Amino acid sequence: MNHQGGYVTVKASFPYKVREIENVFIPMRDGAQLAARIWLPEEAERAAMPAILEYIPYRKRDITRARDTNHAYMAGHGYVCVRVDMRGSGDSDGVLTDEYTQQEQEDGVDAIAWIAEQPWCDGNVGMMGISWGGFNSLQVAAKQPPALKAIISLCSSDDLYADNMHYMGGCLLGDNLSEATVMFAFNTLPPDPQIVGNRWRDMWFDRMENSGLWLEPWLEHQRRSPYWSTSSVCEYYSAIQCPVYAIGGWADGFTNTVLRLMEHLEVPRKGLIGPWGHKYPHQGLPGPAIGFLQEALRWWDHWLKGKETGIMDEPMLRSWEQDSVPPDTSYDKRPGRWIGESAWPSPNIKQRRYELGPYTIHMGEGHGGPHQREGEESALALQSPLSVGMAAGKWCSYAATPDLPGDQREEDGGSLIFSSRQLAESLEIFGVPELELEVSSNKPQAMLAVRLSDVAPDGKSTRVTYGLLNLSHRDSDANPEPLVPHRRYRVRIPMNGIAQRFPAGHQLRVSVSTSYWPLAWLPPEPAQVDIYPDRSVLILPERTPGEEDRRLSEFPEPEEAPPIQVHHFAASEHNWLLHRDLATKESTLEVINDQGHFRIEDIGTEVRRSTREWYSTFNDDFTSARGETYTERSFKRDAWNVEIYTRTVLSCDESNFFIHAQLDAYEDDYRVFSKNWEKVIPRDHM
């Protein structure tokens, strides 16, 4: 049984015996060295084999050591697996100064060339990773290193501005601060003295002094620009010349990428979308988890070993179509079924347009477009309270906390809602729902959050998908323009892609609000947005089941290699807490992500990891929005004893964002480093 409570088979033996090499330094073209851990099938020392690279900044030596048993599994099936710490992370040289840099990608190209030249590699290399490793698998593939023959990219994005954890629909995401906090903590961690020797302390101080506060550049670039687009492969899909397997989950933040890659890539490709959050699918939660490692082997055997596994004979895109469930902030499993599409866009999917009337979605036969009825030109006024969004969950669910959206009825109380009649028969959608609205605003800056929900006969409302739009970005993310107060505009708001079945007897509901805190940062001041429902349309990607559904084979049950041995001193704790102080009128969402205190037995290292986040507002004051994060990290082994603490506060007024951050590091209980940051960043149509 795995840690999510689902069943997984732990394989005790494999076709190949594997030797683990704890550390090898890979030389880069400029003389720097990247640290790598290698899982080497013993047979590869006699007859070369293909290799698989994972390349991320999250510390192979300790933090990802448990997850890296994936490589032991692959190596046991005849692949040399190489897990590399990026420059400036873990035990590698240098300082990491931002995400997805050209330096990072060039280092990836150099690492692949080095791997291909080793006597144990037959010259064929694959690249695989989740999240950051999924991003740079796409980015490095676009550099076309000759030895890279195929990639698997999980939970990643092809568009760093419009579909990442920084901005969405031109709105600043709360996850921008959250992710900056993650990297603030990682970038200040020391290398392991057992790997790098006595220079560890100098390397540590170099990182703390020079890695920078990443929240600053991410906030300085509030519109689409080369800062984001240079490493966004959506700008140059044709540069990717190797086969791609793109994988995501509906509870994750990155599933739209899978649909876009299937549409725009010109190479052999496959897509897979399950019900999961930000997890590998063999550990997927919500379930059902699948035998992802076996599926990955089929992909690698086909593209790196030339075996006929049948994987490319199956539908290009496979997705979990979710059934209706009551609203909850976490699920063990999402009921549903696998569906398949041989092409994307799919001929099985039709875009159906449904008119919004005053508080009603006219489902009927649908309409070709919005039209005006005489005497029905009136607008619906909307100005939401700041409480809307507290039940929104996290932009990207990590399935470690109750971070999914709860019952939407309270959210809907501060929103305009449009509901259909009860469905006479079930309705299936797959793709990107959109809302076309005709709107006006009494202020030059405003935002809209739109949600599509499934309403059960008992009234419970489950959010299916959502979208955001900063109305100054209505025409362009690169060149936003303020609204002219009271002028009418036609805007289009895409929601996140989804595969969902609405049962007969249920209702569809569209909800619209002018705030969605703290998932999205608030506009500079309250605005009333008028919506003209008789000129507004819901567009649904309605799907007819196809032949591909019947041809789908079952995924095998999850398997994994034996876990590492860990001794726990203190258990992990994950929770979301909502505090409402009725006396002071302050509301705070507290997020607890405490990984506990444990010792990794095979290296004898104790690790402590904890992160807390607070997002607060006061009364109805939009400039009171405040995010605060705090992290604790420590490593201890024999005479090595270090602790690192970070704190970041993001606040605002109508014209500026304000950042205060601090870093304190301790060795043997003595503070050895301290640094503070104070930054003021003007709001740019944000």
Side-chain angles (χ1 to χ4, degrees):
M1 185 171 283
N2 66 14
H3 64 281
Q4 285 92 10
Y7 286 94
V8 60
T9 300
V10 176
K11 301 290 288 185
S13 62
F14 297 96
Y16 294 88
K17 291 184 178 180
V18 176
R19 178 167 66 92
E20 295 185 16
I21 303 172
E22 183 64 27
N23 191 77
V24 170
F25 285 111
I26 300 176
M28 299 291 101
R29 67 186 72 175
D30 64 354
Q33 296 187 112
L34 303 190
R37 188 176 178 207
I38 298 176
W39 289 258
L40 183 68
E42 292 181 357
E43 181 67 24
E45 299 183 83
R46 295 180 289 273
M49 293 179 172
I52 301 169
L53 166 67
E54 184 183 16
Y55 173 54
I56 52 177
Y58 301 130
R59 300 179 64 89
K60 65 176 176 57
R61 176 70 167 164
D62 37 53
I63 301 299
T64 67
R65 198 173 188 89
R67 192 184 76 181
D68 289 347
T69 58
N70 291 346
H71 298 302
Y73 185 98
M74 294 292 173
H77 288 86
Y79 291 90
V80 181
C81 291
V82 185
R83 164 67 176 85
V84 175
D85 281 340
M86 282 169 34
R87 183 186 296 245
S89 71
D91 300 316
S92 291
D93 290 351
V95 175
L96 191 59
T97 58
D98 206 345
E99 58 182 6
Y100 316 126
T101 64
Q102 292 302 303
Q103 179 71 68
E104 172 190 332
Q105 294 163 43
E106 290 172 3
D107 286 350
V109 170
D110 289 354
I112 289 170
W114 181 89
I115 291 168
E117 293 168 356
Q118 300 311 299
W120 37 254
C121 181
D122 66 4
N124 296 300
V125 180
M127 192 171 177
M128 180 175 80
I130 184 170
S131 196
W132 196 312
F135 279 73
N136 64 26
S137 291
L138 292 168
Q139 294 158 353
V140 172
K143 298 288 187 183
Q144 301 179 12
L148 185 62
K149 300 301 192 295
I151 66 171
I152 301 179
S153 176
L154 301 99
C155 301
S156 66
S157 182
D158 58 341
D159 191 331
L160 301 188
Y161 178 79
D163 204 8
N164 196 358
M165 53 184 56
H166 306 299
Y167 299 91
M168 179 181 183
C171 297
L172 174 65
L173 291 170
D175 269 46
N176 189 64
L177 172 58
S178 182
E179 177 64 9
T181 297
V182 169
M183 295 315 301
F184 193 17
F186 267 107
N187 294 340
T188 56
L189 302 182
D192 192 312
Q194 285 191 351
I195 300 298
V196 304
N198 291 333
R199 63 192 182 112
W200 75 270
R201 191 177 289 103
D202 290 338
M203 294 173 67
W204 182 28
F205 276 64
D206 191 19
R207 292 176 183 182
M208 290 190 291
E209 183 63 47
N210 297 310
S211 62
L213 188 70
W214 292 12
L215 183 58
E216 182 181 359
W218 295 353
L219 266 182
E220 286 177 335
H221 296 88
Q222 296 169 38
R223 59 176 74 187
R224 192 177 196 92
S225 68
Y227 176 82
W228 303 106
S229 60
T230 299
S231 293
S232 295
V233 299
C234 65
E235 303 284 345
Y236 41 86
Y237 286 119
S238 61
I240 297 178
Q241 293 292 301
C242 68
V244 174
Y245 201 160
I247 299 173
W250 294 130
D252 186 57
F254 297 107
T255 47
N256 299 321
T257 301
V258 179
L259 302 180
R260 287 195 298 268
L261 291 176
M262 294 307 100
E263 179 176 0
H264 295 292
L265 289 181
E266 300 173 354
V267 295
R269 58 201 182 275
K270 286 185 68 68
L272 172 64
I273 308 175
W276 320 297
H278 205 68
K279 292 282 188 180
Y280 274 106
H282 63 295
Q283 301 173 329
L285 191 72
I290 64 167
F292 164 71
L293 296 179
Q294 301 98 297
E295 178 75 358
L297 281 173
R298 294 177 68 218
W299 175 260
W300 297 131
D301 284 351
H302 181 88
W303 292 110
L304 300 186
K305 292 185 176 179
K307 294 182 178 180
E308 199 49 62
T309 64
I311 194 166
M312 299 310 293
D313 299 327
E314 298 168 359
M316 172 196 288
L317 177 59
R318 187 163 173 165
S319 170
W320 186 253
E321 182 186 76
Q322 299 182 147
D323 279 333
S324 176
V325 291
D328 205 341
T329 55
S330 63
Y331 299 96
D332 290 331
K333 184 176 181 179
R334 288 297 302 260
R337 65 204 55 80
W338 289 107
I339 59 176
E341 299 290 353
S342 59
W344 192 264
S346 167
N348 299 322
I349 297 171
K350 305 298 181 186
Q351 302 297 319
R352 293 286 300 276
R353 300 169 66 90
Y354 296 108
E355 182 183 279
L356 302 185
Y359 312 111
T360 304
I361 303 173
H362 299 292
M363 298 299 288
E365 296 298 318
H367 298 271
H371 63 278
Q372 177 182 354
R373 298 190 190 95
E374 186 176 353
E376 295 188 0
E377 185 64 358
S378 61
L380 299 174
L382 173 63
Q383 186 169 320
S384 302
L386 297 188
S387 59
V388 177
M390 286 294 189
K394 192 170 176 62
W395 176 83
C396 178
S397 171
Y398 286 83
T401 58
D403 59 4
L404 295 175
D407 195 322
Q408 296 296 290
R409 286 179 289 185
E410 185 173 357
E411 305 275 78
D412 288 346
S415 310
L416 279 179
I417 61 172
F418 304 88
S419 299
S420 72
R421 295 186 294 270
Q422 289 188 344
L423 297 175
E425 57 186 26
S426 64
L427 171 68
E428 297 179 29
I429 64 172
F430 183 21
V432 177
E434 293 185 313
L435 195 61
E436 286 185 5
L437 297 174
E438 190 151 315
V439 302
S440 62
S441 170
N442 67 345
K443 297 292 174 62
Q445 185 70 42
M447 68 164 286
L448 291 176
V450 303
R451 287 93 69 195
L452 176 65
S453 297
D454 170 20
V455 182
D458 64 2
K460 292 178 180 176
S461 181
T462 303
R463 197 188 75 190
V464 173
T465 184
Y466 74 100
L468 304 174
L469 180 62
N470 175 344
L471 289 173
S472 67
H473 286 240
R474 63 197 176 275
D475 297 320
S476 171
D477 286 326
N479 298 292
E481 294 183 351
L483 299 162
V484 176
H486 308 295
R487 175 184 293 179
R488 287 166 64 161
Y489 298 91
R490 189 157 192 83
V491 299
R492 193 178 184 99
I493 308 175
M495 298 179 235
N496 287 329
I498 194 67
Q500 180 78 26
R501 181 178 180 270
F502 298 86
H506 284 223
Q507 296 171 278
L508 275 68
R509 177 171 293 163
V510 170
S511 308
V512 186
S513 62
T514 56
S515 61
Y516 213 41
W517 170 263
L519 191 146
W521 201 270
L522 296 169
E525 60 180 332
Q528 177 181 305
V529 176
D530 290 343
I531 295 176
Y532 298 83
D534 290 296
R535 291 182 174 272
S536 299
V537 177
L538 171 65
I539 304 169
L540 294 179
E542 297 186 12
R543 182 180 188 271
T544 302
E547 177 63 30
E548 292 89 348
D549 299 349
R550 292 182 284 273
R551 293 194 292 111
L552 292 175
S553 57
E554 292 290 327
F555 283 112
E557 292 299 308
E559 292 181 353
E560 62 185 16
I564 66 171
Q565 297 301 306
V566 176
H567 176 77
H568 292 276
F569 299 101
S572 61
E573 179 187 3
H574 305 281
N575 208 347
W576 283 42
L577 303 171
L578 181 57
H579 308 281
R580 283 180 173 163
D581 189 325
L582 299 183
T584 65
K585 299 180 175 60
E586 184 175 26
S587 296
T588 302
L589 175 66
E590 179 183 5
V591 180
I592 302 171
N593 183 13
D594 188 336
Q595 303 290 334
H597 179 195
F598 54 91
R599 181 176 61 240
I600 304 170
E601 298 290 18
D602 63 332
I603 60 173
T605 303
E606 291 183 27
V607 181
R608 175 81 174 88
R609 297 174 65 200
S610 177
T611 300
R612 289 181 181 252
E613 305 173 39
W614 298 267
Y615 300 91
S616 62
T617 56
F618 173 76
N619 203 6
D620 201 30
D621 181 359
F622 277 52
T623 62
S624 68
R626 184 181 189 272
E628 179 178 353
T629 64
Y630 180 75
T631 73
E632 303 176 20
R633 303 288 187 270
S634 69
F635 299 90
K636 184 177 182 180
R637 184 188 58 244
D638 301 327
W640 186 46
N641 181 15
V642 295
E643 301 170 76
I644 306 94
Y645 301 88
T646 75
R647 177 175 176 261
T648 307
V649 177
L650 177 61
S651 58
C652 66
D653 61 17
E654 290 187 0
S655 303
N656 299 288
F657 291 109
F658 304 99
I659 302 173
H660 168 70
Q662 56 195 78
L663 163 65
D664 290 287
Y666 293 78
E667 184 180 357
D668 295 328
D669 297 326
Y670 288 92
R671 187 165 67 177
V672 294
F673 187 92
S674 183
K675 188 172 183 177
N676 291 337
W677 289 260
E678 296 284 351
K679 302 292 181 181
V680 179
I681 298 175
R683 300 177 76 139
D684 180 9
H685 299 85
M686 189 63 58

